[in-house]
Amino acid sequence: MEQAVELLYHKDILKEFLARYHLDSEHTLLGDFENYVYEVMREDQSFILRVTHSSHRSEEEIIGELEWVTFLQHNGANVPTVYFSSKGNWIEKQVAEDNSVFYACLFSKVKGKSVRSRDELFQDKLFASWGRETGKIHRITNRYLPTNGMRKHWHEDDLFRVELYVPDEPLVIERTKEIRTQLKELPQEDYGLIHNDVHNGNFFYDGKEIHIFDFDDACYFWHVSDIAIPLYYSCTSLFPNEGDQEEKSRFANKFITSFMEGYMDEMSPPKDWMELLSLFLKVRDVTLYAALNKKIAPENRNVKILRWMDQIKHRIEQCISIVTINQ
């Protein structure tokens, strides 16, 4: 979380949000990179409370997310339930000292458990389920017509304006502009509202199906991004060093074969998805590099983060993607 937001956020804000949703005072912080995310309780039942600062999302954007997630849930997708506060609101608000706003919303805790990339379950069966649920969300969303709120189109995302966060890295800025140009030249086909962050940290697995959560990055973008991102983060976690590219490529081919078999159980694959994978893997490098520079102050970057950022920067500057698919 940015330091400016941390200075505004204090325990009384959280205490008030807990009260407005009739939640117990006990809470566990699960994450604080872009939002403050807590596991909370009410009468021995677990929920997920998310607190968002207005510098990250507007109220209208959050409403757009919650409306879409509710539509998905009502139409059979494995996603959280959105709950109302004691006042009957999806979103509760508190004004900070500088007149900015903190927003809170409450979700169910989805079924299953987390699966790490080194776990035994991280195999073909899981990859197929991963693709199947992603395809299901794309299929259901083809019938979705928003009525309240909004979600941004990709080009409105500040993470594509990397010059805001690395003004002294001209080659990164130039490469990002080139990628933006390539995206703008793509046909508006297989394009729509997508999750845009379906990595294994954002779902639980019940042994048969995955249950996806954290729709905070949802935006209008090409469907192939939801294929590239699972591949990207799987390779990132399994191959943290830029060593054995051949081994990484073998894994990537295995992963994408199972993932797409599952995807095609629910949805026809995006046109030219294989050819577009490399571009969208590069897109993730750009947006992640911007996010890391935006969210983590230089003095808070440990050796692991610095090495990771150097790897991403190198790929951006050299116009290469994290892995090559050889199918």
Side-chain angles (χ1 to χ4, degrees):
M1 188 66 68
E2 300 97 318
Q3 291 177 336
V5 176
E6 289 183 346
L7 291 172
L8 294 169
Y9 189 62
H10 52 78
K11 63 181 181 180
D12 288 339
I13 292 175
L14 175 59
K15 183 178 179 181
E16 178 62 23
F17 281 142
L18 291 170
R20 293 186 191 182
Y21 285 96
H22 287 171
L23 297 165
D24 299 343
S25 59
E26 293 83 7
H27 55 273
T28 302
L29 179 66
L30 301 178
D32 60 359
F33 184 63
E34 293 183 318
N35 303 280
Y36 296 101
V37 182
Y38 303 91
E39 183 169 356
V40 292
M41 303 292 293
R42 182 200 295 152
E43 298 178 354
D44 297 324
Q45 183 178 354
S46 292
F47 299 86
I48 301 298
L49 180 73
R50 189 185 72 196
V51 179
T52 303
H53 188 250
S54 53
S55 63
H56 179 61
R57 301 284 180 223
S58 68
E59 182 176 7
E60 190 177 25
E61 287 178 276
I62 299 172
I63 291 172
E65 172 197 353
L66 301 183
E67 181 191 73
W68 181 42
V69 170
T70 299
F71 179 86
L72 292 172
Q73 194 260 337
H74 287 171
N75 285 276
N78 296 335
V79 300
T81 300
V82 183
Y83 291 101
F84 292 102
S85 71
S86 58
K87 297 181 180 180
N89 299 323
W90 257 349
I91 301 172
E92 285 293 333
K93 298 177 283 187
Q94 291 191 65
V95 179
E97 295 175 359
D98 66 346
N99 291 320
S100 62
V101 182
F102 285 98
Y103 303 105
C105 44
L106 187 69
F107 303 92
S108 64
K109 184 177 179 180
V110 299
K111 292 169 52 179
K113 62 181 182 179
S114 63
V115 180
R116 297 181 180 275
S117 60
R118 301 288 178 180
D119 292 348
E120 290 184 8
L121 290 173
F122 202 75
Q123 293 292 340
D124 293 348
K125 182 181 176 183
L126 170 66
F127 305 157
S129 176
W130 198 339
R132 190 174 299 112
E133 194 62 30
T134 302
K136 184 196 296 183
I137 287 176
H138 291 177
R139 174 179 57 78
I140 293 171
T141 305
N142 282 339
R143 299 185 279 109
Y144 174 61
L145 295 174
T147 57
N148 294 297
M150 55 82 71
R151 296 301 296 185
K152 290 180 178 179
H153 288 262
W154 67 273
H155 54 80
E156 300 173 282
D157 191 336
D158 67 308
L159 297 182
F160 280 97
R161 297 173 60 199
V162 71
E163 64 273 11
L164 295 174
Y165 308 113
V166 289
D168 299 324
E169 298 184 19
L171 189 52
V172 170
I173 294 169
E174 182 60 30
R175 295 294 186 241
T176 301
K177 289 179 180 178
E178 292 169 0
I179 287 173
R180 283 175 57 96
T181 298
Q182 288 180 267
L183 291 172
K184 288 178 180 179
E185 292 174 349
L186 291 178
Q188 294 285 300
E189 190 174 0
D190 299 308
Y191 179 96
L193 188 55
I194 66 169
H195 183 284
N196 206 36
D197 203 24
V198 192
H199 56 72
N200 61 306
N202 282 340
F203 66 74
F204 285 171
Y205 183 51
D206 65 9
K208 182 179 179 182
E209 297 180 319
I210 71 164
H211 301 260
I212 299 174
F213 50 86
D214 190 0
F215 284 71
D216 177 61
D217 284 341
C219 68
Y220 287 89
F221 206 29
W222 283 270
H223 290 171
V224 70
S225 179
D226 270 354
I227 299 170
I229 284 172
L231 176 62
Y232 179 96
Y233 283 109
S234 296
C235 288
T236 296
S237 57
L238 283 172
F239 304 94
N241 300 313
E242 297 288 358
D244 194 342
Q245 291 295 321
E246 185 176 340
E247 183 181 356
K248 187 193 296 185
S249 183
R250 282 197 299 269
F251 165 79
N253 280 271
K254 178 176 180 286
F255 176 92
I256 210 67
T257 297
S258 296
F259 184 95
M260 292 308 295
E261 285 176 357
Y263 186 95
M264 289 186 286
D265 286 344
E266 291 283 347
M267 181 82 173
S268 296
K271 183 179 178 181
D272 298 328
W273 68 272
M274 179 66 74
E275 291 79 5
L276 290 171
L277 263 183
S278 179
L279 171 60
F280 282 87
L281 292 171
K282 293 173 186 176
V283 167
R284 179 48 40 148
D285 265 342
V286 163
T287 56
L288 179 58
Y289 190 64
L292 292 170
N293 276 282
K294 176 182 179 180
K295 296 292 184 179
I296 306 176
E299 61 271 20
N300 295 330
R301 298 170 190 171
N302 59 32
V303 173
K304 182 179 178 181
I305 292 292
L306 288 170
R307 184 175 66 246
W308 189 23
M309 293 176 71
D310 284 344
Q311 291 171 353
I312 297 171
K313 179 182 178 181
H314 172 76
R315 290 197 298 266
I316 294 171
E317 292 182 337
Q318 298 301 313
C319 297
I320 54 177
S321 57
I322 190 171
V323 70
T324 300
I325 301 293
N326 298 319
Q327 291 185 340

